[in-house]
Amino acid sequence: MKRAAWALGVAAIAMSGAWAGAVSAKDVVVHAGRLIDGTGAAARDKVSILIHDDRITAIQPGFVTPQGAEIVDLSTKTVLPGLIDTHDHITAGWHTGDPIRNSVTRSDYEDAIEATGFVRDTLLAGFTAVRDCGANTAVIVALKKSIDGAVIPGPRLWVAGTPLGPTGGHGDAVNGLRTEFADIPHIADNIIDSPEAARIAVRRLKREGADLIKIMPSGGVMSIGDDPTHQLMTDEEIKAVIDTAHALGMKVAAHAHGKQAIDHTIALGVDSIEHGSYADAGSYKIFKQYGAYLVPTMLVGERVYQRAKEHPEQLNPSTAEKALVIGPLLQKNLHDAYAAGVKIAFGTDTFGLSRHGENAQEFALMVGAGMTPMDAIKAATGNAADLLGSQDVGTVQAGRYADLIAVDGDPLRDIRLLETVGFVMKGGAVVKAGGKPVT
């Protein structure tokens, strides 16, 4: 894993020269023809966003020009906060739908080097922040540090590292392999089968640089042989993870499809439920009671569903069978959860079936499931920042990072406009303008 991190560094250095100019900032004023600020408030016309170094200092009505400030003219555009994807797998590409083949033909080195392109594509698509919900810990932490150090371009990362789950559950890399592979060092270092193992694993991830914890209390779709409707972690194991993480100042995201896993995990204090396929009216009451977020991840559901229908041979048989059931449930679940008043945060579960940089295609699915365009945007801005626990990103307000995007037209009328972001600023530095990267 250390060598994989080293490989990432080598790739990063090779890319750094072209982006060196995108890391310096100064006094800037952005003239925004229309501003959607990410709070859910009504859009405002003709405003100026004042920026010093990497932070917003003020938002003023009209187009003002402070002395000495560089003007960024977006007076014919709609400006929004940089978007946030709260469920991504930004080191993962699509190579085959067979996890066994991937595990024996690909290395962490390849993932590390490939990820330098994925983070660039994601940033250029307008996503200036990402919560990564599962990756090799050494690789994702090194990737985060390389972005933070301006070695490579990419979004701000909040990283979970390796997800934690039970033997035989979603995330057990030994599923489908011969039993002796379970003895290979590190292949199953994310397995927790007791509260004590859970506490140790959380503390280890904190030590290794994780920002949050991802757990797998239910079965999954892409895994082999497990059942998404079953709760596979005990309540005691789930509680040990959540209590330990919260004591360390870390939030917890839970992959959960089945109702029992959803309901129990929320009641035990989890911060977000990822997917939530089999939630029902009773589940939504529990969501609201405990203030948990739902991250619906419909884009991955749609892509896996289509692959299972059209090319089932590209998936393992277990995945193909489950995808045909789970895919349609995700849209119904979001519709019902939104109608019930559950808090929603934007997340795509991008890992290759939907390509990195296509994250904004989730918006049309959210609106199609019944969300208003403004609430879908808020899910990827203000709500997403709240789920991250960050006061630095997600809205256009004084004190926040100057992370901005701009599009032609009005995304409140056509949400698909967010799929073609023409302008991106991160921390006061323009990284895309006129639809092209700034090098």
Side-chain angles (χ1 to χ4, degrees):
M1 292 184 186
K2 290 181 179 178
R3 290 183 179 179
W6 172 83
L8 174 61
V10 171
I13 291 168
M15 296 176 64
S16 63
W19 285 78
V23 300
S24 62
K26 51 188 175 182
D27 288 329
V28 174
V29 58
V30 175
H31 290 168
R34 200 158 195 246
L35 174 65
I36 300 171
D37 67 10
T39 68
R44 287 175 280 173
D45 292 331
K46 296 182 180 179
V47 301
S48 295
I49 305 165
L50 279 61
I51 298 165
H52 177 71
D53 291 334
D54 60 352
R55 299 274 180 171
I56 297 169
T57 58
I59 296 92
Q60 297 185 3
F63 294 151
V64 302
T65 307
Q67 185 175 0
E70 175 187 335
I71 297 173
V72 175
D73 184 5
L74 299 175
S75 59
T76 63
K77 313 290 185 183
T78 298
V79 176
L80 304 94
L83 303 173
I84 304 171
D85 190 336
T86 69
H87 190 129
D88 203 333
H89 298 281
I90 209 159
T91 65
W94 178 260
H95 303 286
T96 76
D98 183 352
I100 295 177
R101 179 177 176 183
N102 291 341
S103 69
V104 297
T105 60
R106 288 190 58 81
S107 71
D108 296 335
Y109 310 109
E110 293 165 286
D111 291 341
I113 292 170
E114 194 173 45
T116 60
F118 295 156
V119 292
R120 180 182 186 272
D121 292 343
T122 302
L123 176 62
L124 292 175
F127 287 82
T128 55
V130 161
R131 186 181 69 155
D132 189 275
C133 280
N136 175 288
T137 307
V139 171
I140 194 65
V141 170
L143 190 69
K144 175 183 176 177
K145 289 180 177 178
S146 295
I147 294 170
D148 289 347
V151 179
I152 58 172
R156 307 178 195 280
L157 296 184
W158 279 255
V159 304
T162 309
L164 303 178
T167 296
H170 186 61
D172 185 348
V174 182
N175 285 349
L177 299 180
R178 287 162 46 185
T179 55
E180 55 264 38
F181 282 103
D183 297 326
I184 296 176
H186 89 266
I187 195 170
D189 64 357
N190 64 323
I191 297 302
I192 51 171
D193 287 322
S194 70
E196 183 61 23
R199 284 188 285 268
I200 292 170
V202 170
R203 291 166 180 160
R204 173 177 50 79
L205 284 165
K206 174 68 171 178
R207 181 181 65 189
E208 292 174 356
D211 302 300
L212 66 138
I213 299 296
K214 168 81 173 295
I215 56 172
M216 309 293 207
S218 88
V221 176
M222 296 303 293
S223 44
I224 295 175
D226 56 332
D227 188 332
T229 67
H230 291 168
Q231 179 177 323
L232 302 180
M233 291 177 68
T234 68
D235 285 2
E236 292 77 16
E237 290 162 353
I238 295 168
K239 187 175 189 300
V241 169
I242 294 170
D243 288 352
T244 305
H246 286 175
L248 294 170
M250 307 170 80
K251 292 197 173 189
V252 181
H255 158 105
H257 287 284
K259 174 178 167 56
Q260 180 178 321
I262 293 165
D263 294 355
H264 285 213
T265 305
I266 296 172
L268 290 166
V270 81
D271 299 285
S272 65
I273 293 291
E274 317 299 305
H275 319 305
S277 306
Y278 289 95
D280 62 12
S283 306
Y284 305 140
K285 291 179 181 178
I286 301 172
F287 268 102
K288 294 171 69 177
Q289 178 183 351
Y290 288 90
Y293 273 93
L294 171 67
V295 182
T297 66
M298 289 188 298
L299 184 58
V300 72
E302 181 191 59
R303 294 297 171 84
V304 178
Y305 175 79
Q306 291 298 328
R307 193 66 59 100
K309 281 184 62 178
E310 299 169 7
H311 295 286
E313 75 283 355
Q314 296 181 5
L315 304 169
N316 73 75
S318 171
T319 291
E321 181 180 353
K322 290 183 285 187
L324 293 173
V325 176
I326 295 293
L329 288 178
L330 293 172
Q331 186 171 40
K332 178 182 184 301
N333 177 48
L334 175 59
H335 174 276
D336 294 347
Y338 176 67
V342 172
K343 294 191 297 185
I344 308 296
F346 181 102
T348 63
D349 202 6
T350 294
F351 66 92
L353 268 176
S354 53
R355 292 184 296 184
H356 297 282
E358 294 180 345
N359 311 56
Q361 293 179 14
E362 180 86 12
F363 283 112
L365 297 174
M366 297 173 84
V367 172
M371 293 187 74
T372 66
M374 181 65 87
D375 282 346
I377 290 169
K378 187 180 177 185
T381 53
N383 279 10
D386 183 53
L387 176 55
L388 292 176
S390 175
Q391 298 295 314
D392 292 321
V393 297
T395 59
V396 181
Q397 293 176 290
R400 304 263 171 154
Y401 281 126
D403 294 351
L404 305 173
I405 65 170
V407 296
D408 293 319
D410 183 1
L412 298 178
R413 293 181 178 273
D414 181 4
I415 198 68
R416 298 192 76 104
L417 292 174
L418 294 175
E419 297 175 17
T420 53
V421 170
F423 174 91
V424 180
M425 171 185 283
K426 180 190 171 191
V430 178
V431 297
K432 184 179 185 181
K436 297 180 180 180
V438 174
T439 57

